[in-house]
Amino acid sequence: MRLVCVGLVCMVLAACGGSSAGGENGLAVWPASQQGENPPPAPEQFEPIVSNGDELASALPGNVANRLFDPLAFGYTINDISDPVIVEHMVRATFAQLQDGSRLQHAYHWYGHPDENAGVALIPVEFFNRYGTRLYGEIVLPYQAKGSPAEGPFPVIIALQGLNTNVGMYRWWHRLFADNGYMVFAFDFSGQGHSDDEVEGDPGNNLHDAQDAMAYLFERSSVASVLNAEQVGVIGHSMGAGAALRVQEQEADNASEPNPVRIKAAVAAAPVGESVSANPIPVMIQTGDHDGPIAPIPFANPAVVRPLYDSLSSDRAFIVAEAASHGQHTNYPLIPTSTWGREIAANYSLAWMDYYLRGDAAALSVLEGGHPHLSYLHDSATRINGVEMTYRGNGLVPDPAEFE
């Protein structure tokens, strides 16, 4: 069954020129793209004071002020609350969320972060999952579309989001891979972000949504002809990490629901209470030793998910960032985490994909090099090509046998 599915995809790609590079790939110029969506101006009576926190708080209705200025709810950081650009962005986004159809039952707006929005060239798309639910996605173009499609075919990253979040909250991660030559496809699961609620009969199956997103990207999207079907990886955070693990399971020889294209590597960031039935491809698990209090298991995620890492049979990595929280993989402005958490998440996730998708041996220097801000409380570890290594914040943990 897998050979049939892969064969059909390859036929579609070949018909579009998707396996060819240069000018033969069928896409002469990039389709029209845009930056990330920023919020519209605040209501007229509030727009002049959006940067004045004290005046704004006293002028707002209580429920709106609480959404903006309750540190117990969002845990403001000093950098965020003192940055007028971020404060204004959050004020406008909150007003917009109250009137533009944003999901009020979700704590987080869908307008991303002002710094990350300006750093991407994306194509907003809509597609339907197998049950008929309309899903929203963003195709993030390599190098901000400053290069040419003729440089393809491009490696691909499928990005999966956390519970009650949206694509805008992970735009920094999408930008990371796009700036390094990957085509990134991120989408909102059914019932989240810009996607519709599940239609009747749609069970809200994240694996199916992810597979349907892959099929759309490779078979029907405007960039299908410049994608490299031999270099596809999946990343996910929190609930999306669980979905990424389900996706990688379907690469097993006896998979019951094979993926429409082959996935070669996965990064599961801050999974909670997950296990796998199969581990046919390399998997990296990322977390932080302060994972919480947003996660269901505050401050204990590394210990909780370590058994998952130990159960993996393929090449694997377990990366624990010092003092990083469950929010280190988002760019939502007001979620506190360590200042170096995103650097660790970026360096290791990019190196993992560079090594396993592109075959870049130089990426091993990152994967096996340690980092001064890996956790001092929990071991980080890798097993690559059969070689096991363990790390803490001060570097490689020596083998006790060396001291005997």
Side-chain angles (χ1 to χ4, degrees):
M1 181 66 181
R2 174 187 299 283
L3 293 176
V4 173
C5 292
V6 173
L8 288 173
V9 171
C10 291
M11 289 173 63
V12 171
L13 295 179
C16 299
S19 61
S20 302
E24 300 177 357
N25 60 26
L27 190 61
V29 297
W30 290 118
S33 62
Q34 63 188 54
Q35 294 182 340
E37 180 185 14
N38 283 311
E44 183 177 352
Q45 67 270 37
F46 296 114
E47 181 61 30
I49 59 172
V50 290
S51 60
N52 187 325
D54 291 338
E55 186 176 352
L56 184 66
S58 63
L60 290 173
N63 64 324
V64 178
N66 288 339
R67 292 180 70 86
L68 279 169
F69 299 111
D70 182 359
L72 295 179
F74 289 116
Y76 285 11
T77 67
I78 297 299
N79 288 339
D80 288 338
I81 201 65
S82 62
D83 186 333
V85 173
I86 292 179
V87 171
E88 291 179 23
H89 180 86
M90 293 300 293
V91 170
R92 294 188 180 99
T94 299
F95 277 117
Q97 191 178 12
L98 295 171
Q99 60 190 1
D100 68 0
S102 300
R103 299 180 184 277
L104 286 175
Q105 72 272 29
H106 297 177
Y108 312 110
H109 65 70
W110 59 37
Y111 294 102
H113 189 289
D115 295 343
E116 306 303 334
N117 290 345
V120 294
L122 61 85
I123 303 171
V125 298
E126 295 182 353
F127 61 101
F128 290 87
N129 69 10
R130 68 193 66 183
Y131 305 102
T133 301
R134 184 197 64 86
L135 303 182
Y136 169 82
E138 294 180 350
I139 301 171
V140 187
L141 300 176
Y143 308 119
Q144 298 183 49
K146 294 176 181 177
S148 166
E151 298 170 17
F154 298 93
V156 177
I157 297 295
I158 306 297
L160 308 178
Q161 63 188 216
L163 179 65
N164 289 352
T165 64
N166 54 75
V167 293
M169 290 184 65
Y170 299 94
R171 198 159 281 140
W172 78 270
W173 216 3
H174 311 157
R175 178 185 179 187
L176 167 77
F177 283 101
D179 284 351
N180 284 277
Y182 289 82
M183 189 81 71
V184 180
F185 189 40
F187 70 96
D188 290 329
F189 284 122
S190 57
Q192 300 199 167
H194 286 284
S195 291
D196 287 347
D197 291 335
E198 294 90 348
V199 298
E200 185 176 356
D202 185 343
N205 186 309
N206 291 340
L207 169 63
H208 292 170
D209 278 358
Q211 290 179 325
D212 296 342
M214 294 177 218
Y216 166 80
L217 181 68
F218 278 87
E219 297 170 14
R220 304 188 299 281
S221 75
S222 60
V223 299
S225 63
V226 294
L227 305 179
N228 191 331
E230 299 301 316
Q231 296 179 334
V232 185
V234 60
I235 62 175
H237 172 245
S238 195
M239 181 182 76
L245 293 171
R246 301 289 82 76
V247 167
Q248 71 86 35
E249 287 176 338
Q250 300 308 314
E251 292 304 320
D253 291 338
N254 62 346
S256 59
E257 299 181 277
N259 297 314
V261 291
R262 291 297 304 268
I263 303 297
K264 297 296 181 65
V267 174
V272 180
E274 300 290 343
S275 61
V276 294
S277 62
N279 175 222
I281 65 173
V283 171
M284 169 178 282
I285 297 171
Q286 295 187 358
T287 186
D289 59 20
H290 288 183
D291 193 347
I294 299 168
I297 309 172
F299 306 104
N301 201 325
V304 170
V305 300
R306 179 60 193 243
L308 167 62
Y309 169 78
D310 292 335
S311 74
L312 299 178
S313 56
S314 185
D315 279 10
R316 63 191 188 182
F318 187 65
I319 306 302
V320 188
E322 177 190 5
S325 74
H326 198 67
Q328 74 165 317
H329 290 84
T330 79
N331 52 232
Y332 196 78
L334 305 179
I335 296 179
T337 191
S338 61
T339 56
W340 51 79
R342 191 182 299 174
E343 173 193 336
I344 291 175
N347 290 354
Y348 280 99
S349 58
L350 178 62
W352 194 250
M353 294 304 179
D354 280 349
Y355 185 69
Y356 286 105
L357 301 191
R358 288 171 157 165
D360 182 1
L364 284 175
S365 64
V366 175
L367 298 173
E368 297 181 340
H371 190 284
H373 285 297
L374 291 179
S375 174
Y376 283 78
L377 304 175
H378 300 272
D379 284 345
S380 294
T382 60
R383 185 180 66 204
I384 299 174
N385 300 325
V387 179
E388 298 266 7
M389 295 186 179
T390 304
Y391 311 84
R392 292 236 175 168
N394 58 351
L396 185 67
V397 176
D399 186 341
E402 296 178 7
F403 299 95
E404 293 179 357

